[in-house]
Amino acid sequence: MSEPDRTALLSALPYARRLARALTGSQAKGDAMVADALRGGVSGAAGEAEARLALFAAVARVAGSQPEEPAAPLTRTERLLLLLTSLEELDLEDAAGVLGLDADLARAMLASARERLRAASAARVLIIEDEPIIAMDLQQLVESAGHEVVGLAASEAEAVALADRTRPTLVLADVNLGHGGDGATAVERILSRHAMPVIFVTAYPERLLTGSRVEPAFVITKPFEPTTLAVATFQAVTRGVPIGAG
């Protein structure tokens, strides 16, 4: 691999990790999937944009070699389409190309998958966000996706106390809580007492996707569209395991 290709792939790695972790619901399984994709070879990685698409395609091939889960609410291809177009913000044509699908077929599959998002099991969500307006916006988005918000926490201490009292089935956490502490630390304290999936919201997702330490399985980028939150919540509810779990 030439040096420009290596540089492009290194830039694309955090996003491939995000895709694979969200697909599997696990940091360990997602990162192992990316490692298998790299070992299998990545072609067409001349620039950063091309490298990202090529690495996504390699991850999809590895995922496709694994058995389909019986009775899953969505097929693996449907999940990948949702994740590629929402979490990774690809246009439909690029997402279809990554998965080797005809664009019209991909469009129909995506529409069907979006219709079934609300049919997934509803979550009881704790939102950790120090900005009141953003917290209320998140609450509205979560509730519009069919989930229940059990509490809004503006600080680390409040988040831990609310988690103890309400026993949520999903946590949606901002990383930076300003003077209220650190969202990641709040989550660590909560998960030391209760097991549940967590979605982190951050303006700098690559900082949580290095693969060099215990990191989240679900990361979405600020600002985000309502569909992105709906897809991430769906994946966390149906595939989620606690941060750092296998």
Side-chain angles (χ1 to χ4, degrees):
M1 184 185 302
S2 67
E3 194 60 35
D5 289 348
R6 184 181 301 275
T7 300
L9 278 178
L10 287 174
S11 297
L13 269 178
Y15 304 97
R17 290 191 184 107
R18 176 167 64 178
L19 175 67
R21 291 179 190 182
L23 180 65
T24 61
S26 162
Q27 177 189 355
K29 291 178 181 178
D31 289 359
M33 185 175 285
V34 173
D36 287 344
L38 289 170
R39 281 192 288 268
V42 180
S43 60
E48 185 173 341
E50 293 84 358
R52 194 177 299 191
L53 293 177
L55 194 47
F56 287 161
V59 167
R61 285 194 295 273
V62 173
S65 69
Q66 300 174 357
E68 189 80 57
E69 292 185 17
L74 294 177
T75 67
R76 183 188 299 111
T77 301
E78 288 172 328
R79 288 178 184 269
L80 279 165
L81 269 175
L82 285 168
L83 291 169
L84 288 167
T85 56
S86 59
L87 194 68
E88 302 304 334
E89 300 180 327
L90 297 188
D91 60 37
L92 180 66
E93 288 72 19
D94 282 341
V98 164
L99 299 176
L101 297 174
D102 172 78
D104 289 337
L105 174 60
R107 185 174 293 104
M109 292 179 67
L110 185 60
S112 175
R114 284 175 172 169
E115 286 180 1
R116 281 178 284 145
L117 280 180
R118 292 179 63 91
S121 300
R124 302 177 67 252
V125 185
L126 170 62
I127 295 174
I128 306 175
E129 169 59 63
D130 65 313
E131 294 288 344
I133 300 300
I134 296 176
M136 288 189 290
D137 285 344
L138 287 172
Q139 179 175 5
Q140 183 179 17
L141 289 174
V142 168
E143 290 176 343
S144 68
H147 306 290
E148 175 190 1
V149 174
V150 298
L152 303 175
S155 69
E156 181 181 324
E158 186 179 8
V160 174
L162 272 172
D164 284 343
R165 187 165 72 250
T166 63
R167 299 296 180 95
T169 58
L170 174 68
V171 173
L172 180 62
D174 191 1
V175 174
N176 185 1
L177 300 179
H179 297 299
D182 180 78
T185 303
V187 165
E188 287 179 5
R189 292 175 61 188
I190 291 169
L191 292 181
S192 70
R193 303 145 79 106
H194 314 288
M196 67 197 71
V198 177
I199 300 172
F200 275 108
V201 183
T202 175
Y204 305 100
E206 64 277 3
R207 297 180 184 177
L208 297 177
L209 297 163
T210 66
S212 61
R213 59 184 186 277
V214 175
E215 295 174 332
F218 302 98
V219 182
I220 59 178
T221 305
K222 284 182 173 180
F224 53 83
E225 297 294 326
T227 300
T228 303
L229 179 60
V231 171
T233 302
F234 171 82
Q235 280 296 105
V237 169
T238 60
R239 299 297 301 273
V241 294
I243 181 174

